[in-house]
Amino acid sequence: MKKKNYQISFLGTGCVGTAFAYHLQKQGYQIIGGFDINKHKLRRFYQLLKIKYQIPTLPELIRTSNLVFITTPDAEIKKTYQKIFPYLNRQTIVIHCSGALDTKIFYSAKEKKLIPIGIHPIQTFTTISQSIKSITNIYFGIEANSKAKAIANEIVLALKGKSIFIKSQDKPLYHTMCVFVSNYLVVLISIVSNIARELKIKPKNELRVLWPLINQTLTNISKFDPKKALTGPIVRGDLITIKSHLKVLKKRFPELISLYKLMAKQAHLLLTRK
């Protein structure tokens, strides 16, 4: 099916859904509408896409679609699918954008010969404008059967992205990987900020002081194998410094001792890896 023949609707018009719709429309795909219980988000969706604002009933929207994106929060995907299932046409393409859920959530898909696909952008989204800017030129985790892979690839290419294919059973591990590199990086920086406050570094300067170190570390990781990017007392075998870290943490941040030991152990494993 050529892109001009797709009739695409979005159920959930937050950051991810709006960003997908915005760029697909720019590439010539026909976005016929969206649906969201949050009317503010829905109105914004229509305004950004310059579509006449109207609120079709959910059955009307689904019956006129042959490609449906479910871009709700993960907890709502199955419920949303249950609501729309009676109105789906045969051979409709149904896509969710969850990193953790697989397409088995689309139960009874074979009844109507639906084409179930999972397309997960490997990116973090905070606002609509940031999402629209950052959803292109990235990688997408794709879960799809052999027939659906070409469709998923077509959509990813429309966003100037690249695909990596994930097996259904590997989705939880795949999403764990993404959470480690995004959410827990944020947590790590938050911990560092707390230590900076303890050192009486002004709140406005916390990340400003540390950003050159953070930035260079990320640059090193992007250029080299993580093992080669590793520096510090673990690399030097400096047990005296490590013990001093543990001593001061015990006194001032005891809740961080177990985390420090775990990270030090992982650093040592990385260093000794062949």
Side-chain angles (χ1 to χ4, degrees), residues 33-135:
F35 192 89
D36 201 304
I37 58 172
N38 185 316
K39 300 311 175 191
H40 169 72
K41 289 182 180 180
L42 186 59
R43 185 178 291 276
R44 180 183 60 194
F45 176 87
Y46 276 89
Q47 287 174 342
L48 280 169
L49 271 63
K50 298 180 180 178
I51 302 172
K52 183 180 178 182
Y53 183 64
Q54 52 188 357
I55 308 178
T57 65
L58 191 57
E60 288 173 338
L61 183 63
I62 299 307
R63 285 182 181 128
T64 54
S65 305
N66 55 22
L67 194 163
V68 178
F69 273 89
I70 301 179
T71 46
T72 63
D74 284 13
E76 299 298 320
I77 293 174
K78 187 173 182 179
K79 295 176 187 176
T80 302
Y81 177 71
Q82 288 172 334
K83 287 180 182 178
I84 68 171
F85 183 77
Y87 314 113
L88 287 165
N89 301 308
R90 290 177 67 81
Q91 297 186 317
T92 296
I93 302 162
V94 186
I95 299 174
H96 73 62
C97 297
S98 168
L101 299 174
D102 59 44
T103 55
K104 291 176 184 175
I105 200 168
F106 296 144
Y107 68 92
S108 302
K110 290 182 179 179
E111 282 183 27
K112 298 186 177 184
K113 296 185 178 180
L114 303 178
I115 303 172
I117 301 174
I119 301 180
H120 176 251
I122 305 178
Q123 183 57 283
T124 181
F125 304 106
T126 53
T127 66
I128 291 292
S129 58
Q130 177 265 323
S131 302
I132 289 172
K133 289 178 182 177
S134 61
I135 202 171

Side-chain angles (χ1 to χ4, degrees), residues 233 237-246:
D238 187 353
L239 292 177
I240 293 175
T241 297
I242 293 170
K243 286 179 180 179
S244 73
H245 292 171
L246 290 170

